Amino acid sequence: QVQVLESGGGLVQPGGSLRLSCAASGRAYSYYTMAWFRQPPGKAREFVGAMKRTSGVPSYGDSLKGRFAISRDNAKNTLDLQMNSLNPEDTAVYYCAVTSRTLITSSLARGDEYEYWGQGTQVTVSS
């Protein structure tokens, strides 16, 4: 079984930065693609970004590229999300997701492609 654990959420002022971390443990061969999703209050889940184990190149949701940056450490099985210039619309529960599948790029944003999910970490952007 694979365990996924997010950390780093909290309250931040508009314009501020926050760094989230996701750690996966269990069957190491299951960590092929790791991703971040978020769900704002009252809204649908949204793809934030993802990175395959071997590509080293992140993919981002259309509206987030430029402010958010994903990095991955395969030795530690972690996926970090650096969030800058945060605004209240970024308030959401942020989830880390992991799949053992070899996803094509166009499938990275599909939540149903990921087998393992963390419990989520709350990010609140407010003054």
Side-chain angles (χ1 to χ4, degrees), residues 49-118:
M51 186 181 288
K52 299 177 186 179
R53 185 177 184 85
T54 55
S55 72
V57 178
S59 297
Y60 297 100
D62 290 340
S63 64
L64 301 173
K65 190 174 183 179
R67 294 193 300 121
F68 288 15
I70 284 177
S71 59
R72 179 167 178 163
D73 187 330
N74 287 335
K76 297 180 180 179
N77 298 318
T78 58
L79 185 76
D80 287 354
L81 176 65
Q82 177 67 42
M83 304 184 292
N84 301 319
S85 301
L86 287 164
N87 58 66
E89 288 69 41
D90 295 314
T91 294
V93 178
Y94 284 72
Y95 296 93
C96 181
V98 176
T99 179
S100 59
R101 302 178 188 181
T102 305
L103 299 182
I104 58 176
T105 301
S106 60
S107 294
L108 291 174
R110 293 184 52 177
D112 58 359
E113 294 284 1
Y114 296 85
E115 303 103 292
Y116 309 105
W117 291 77

Side-chain angles (χ1 to χ4, degrees), residues 4-7 20-22 34-40 43-49 70 79 81 92-98 114 116-123:
V4 181
L5 182 63
E6 306 97 339
S7 62
L20 305 183
S21 185
C22 170
M34 298 179 72
W36 285 101
F37 290 81
R38 69 181 185 181
Q39 187 163 18
K43 297 184 179 181
R45 184 175 60 197
E46 178 185 15
F47 173 68
V48 175
I70 284 177
L79 185 76
L81 176 65
V93 178
Y94 284 72
Y95 296 93
C96 181
V98 176
Y114 296 85
Y116 309 105
W117 291 77
Q119 293 294 320
T121 185
Q122 176 71 45
V123 172

